[in-house]
Amino acid sequence: MSTRSEREHVRVVADESALAEAVAEFVVERAGAAIAERGRFDLALAGGSTPKAAYALLAAPPLRSRVAWELVRFFFGDERCVPPTDDQSNYKMANDALLAPLGIAESAVFRMRGEDEPHAAASAYADILRRELSAGGTPAFDAIMLGMGPDGHTASLFPGHDPFEDDGALVRAPYVEKFAAHRITLTPQVLNAARCVAIATSGTQKAAALAAVLEGPRDPGKYPISVVAPVDGRLTWFVDRAAAAQLGGR
Ligand code: 6PG
């Protein structure tokens, strides 16, 4: 499917189950490539509900045995400002579905501390990124997994906020009116420094936003996910037919 750059691709799959399989295979493939090239795989996990099925596939045979998990380090794209034991926590979702079943060592998991004061937690996470990922420039993940809301948000970059505000920041803690709560999120600078980004989107309720983002003018204020354009990396959209229903040229 034609997209905005030659490094951006859209893969349309049949349904949610096929989406989970495609995303899981993507992680396996990117992990193998990163480990072969650099001896490790630094992955930022997506929150929300869409990734759960892909996480479960990665934590179970046969995919579980296809990755050297001891060489993988896990980070997060965003987090709700709740304790890690809260059902709303992206960390808890990933830990239940992926990290605990794989027996991932605590030292390989870098969670955003949702239980702390939001701005302090954002600043602390930026320090972690600079310490663990930065080779002098912007911290670069081997892969970042993202989702998209029906309003075109991604991570915790929501409409109504300038996604490029305080653009020097690596991590920020926006107050999100619709939730009457703060969130902690990677900023566009970090998202676009990744070697590859995978956006997984499913369901009819996202079809309008997806068509606007992929086929309309780039409008990050209205659709924050429009900021995702890796500087040197690849962007792959994994979408099911329901989410792709309003895309032209299908
Ligand atoms: C979050 C996510 C968020 C999510 C989208 C899609 O913390 O909720 O980071 O950006 O990816 O809201 O969520 P679903 O996968 O649940 O549709």
Side-chain angles (χ1 to χ4, degrees):
M1 178 170 292
S2 65
T3 55
R4 294 170 299 197
S5 100
E6 74 286 352
R7 285 179 286 104
E8 179 177 351
H9 300 275
V10 178
R11 277 191 60 191
V12 181
V13 297
D15 52 27
E16 282 188 66
S17 170
L19 187 71
E21 288 168 13
V23 170
E25 282 289 348
F26 164 85
V27 172
V28 169
E29 186 270 325
R30 296 315 306 161
I35 289 167
E37 198 174 321
R38 282 182 296 281
R40 74 175 190 219
F41 180 51
D42 290 325
L43 170 65
L45 296 173
S49 58
T50 302
K52 275 184 200 169
Y55 294 162
L57 289 175
L58 287 165
L63 294 186
R64 158 189 199 109
S65 61
R66 286 183 42 200
V67 177
W69 294 109
E70 69 281 6
L71 299 176
V72 180
R73 299 192 306 172
F74 297 87
F75 299 77
F76 290 82
D78 76 322
E79 186 55 277
R80 289 81 180 278
C81 290
V82 294
T85 52
D86 189 300
D87 284 342
Q88 282 300 310
S89 163
N90 287 334
Y91 163 79
K92 183 179 187 296
M93 181 275 284
N95 189 54
D96 291 348
L98 180 68
L99 305 176
L102 286 176
I104 301 297
E106 197 173 320
S107 59
V109 180
F110 301 84
R111 66 176 184 87
M112 294 171 167
R113 291 179 54 86
E115 67 272 34
D116 290 352
E117 190 281 322
H119 298 291
S123 175
Y125 206 71
D127 291 344
I128 288 172
L129 298 184
R130 276 188 281 268
R131 186 187 73 220
E132 298 294 338
L133 294 175
S134 185
T138 302
F141 286 99
D142 291 306
I144 297 180
M145 299 172 73
L146 294 172
M148 184 186 78
D151 59 359
H153 81 261
T154 194
S156 283
L157 302 173
F158 284 86
H161 293 254
D162 172 6
F164 296 110
E165 67 179 337
D166 71 353
D167 210 18
L170 301 176
V171 187
R172 76 167 72 109
Y175 181 78
V176 184
E177 290 74 10
K178 72 188 288 188
F179 301 123
H182 283 85
R183 288 281 191 97
I184 304 165
T185 186
L186 299 182
T187 61
Q189 179 185 175
V190 176
L191 299 181
N192 289 328
R195 294 180 182 90
C196 64
V197 178
I199 301 175
T201 300
S202 68
T204 51
Q205 76 278 21
K206 300 181 182 181
L210 188 67
V213 169
L214 288 183
E215 298 179 342
R218 198 185 288 267
D219 185 354
K222 187 172 182 185
Y223 300 107
I225 200 166
S226 302
V227 304
V228 180
V231 176
D232 295 315
R234 288 169 56 89
L235 168 59
T236 305
W237 293 78
F238 294 91
V239 301
D240 66 4
R241 283 211 189 98
Q246 296 184 28
L247 293 183
R250 276 172 36 76

